Amino acid sequence: MSFTQPGQLVAAGLVGVVVVYLLARVGYSELPTLPVFAGATLLLIAVVEVVLALVLRPRVLRKPGTEPVESLTAARAVALAKASSLAGAIMAGCWLGLLGYLVPMLEVVAAARQDTVTAIIGLVSAAALVGAGLWLEYVLRNPDDPDEPDDAE
């Protein structure tokens, strides 16, 4: 399994931007007002991942008095980290796409003001999830592996 590349996150985010912007243009008027904390669930997941990283870090580094992380546990946590950073990038793109649609309408449509607050909360939560996922992935790197891959291999 390879580490998450920035290009993968940017591509996923761009897909989210385009899809949600186009969907908002077509059907925003049919939607009810979005709940203010609709995107805050992502922040909760980010907090869980930060706690998981804090718990696993000493074990991965084999600090005295800690039990080493089992391979399967580490693999599951890395899969969670990769999935979270990718999902966070997609959702950040979705919230950006919605913001791109809403910001020009702030003075015209009353619902756009509240939905803009919702989108900003969602965007911040999605960014936190990307950061937490990338950090968890970083924490789970094998300390015995070199940081840079050899070009000769």
Side-chain angles (χ1 to χ4, degrees):
M1 185 180 308
S2 64
F3 296 109
T4 304
Q5 302 297 314
Q8 296 169 334
L9 299 177
V10 170
L14 286 175
V15 169
V17 167
V18 171
V19 168
V20 170
Y21 180 80
L22 293 174
L23 286 174
R25 284 184 58 102
V26 171
Y28 180 75
S29 62
E30 303 297 322
L31 291 175
T33 303
L34 298 173
V36 175
F37 295 107
T41 307
L42 301 176
L43 187 59
L44 178 63
I45 298 169
V47 168
V48 168
E49 288 194 14
V50 167
V51 170
L52 183 61
L54 290 172
V55 168
L56 290 178
R57 185 175 184 137
R59 294 177 62 193
V60 169
L61 295 175
R62 298 180 186 109
K63 298 275 184 181
T66 61
E67 184 178 320
V69 179
E70 294 181 23
S71 299
L72 187 57
T73 302
R76 287 178 177 163
V78 168
L80 172 67
K82 286 182 70 75
S84 294
S85 60
L86 188 59
I90 291 169
M91 288 308 300
C94 291
W95 291 116
L96 279 173
L98 185 59
L99 278 170
Y101 179 75
L102 293 175
V103 168
M105 299 179 3
L106 283 176
E107 299 300 321
V108 180
V109 180
R113 283 191 262 338
Q114 182 181 342
D115 287 348
T116 299
V117 171
T118 300
I120 291 170
I121 291 171
L123 179 60
V124 169
S125 298
L129 183 59
V130 171
L134 291 175
W135 188 54
L136 179 59
E137 186 176 334
Y138 173 79
V139 163
L140 291 167
R141 290 181 182 208
N142 187 347
D144 297 333
D145 286 346
D147 288 338
E148 299 292 323
D150 275 343
D151 292 334
E153 292 180 18

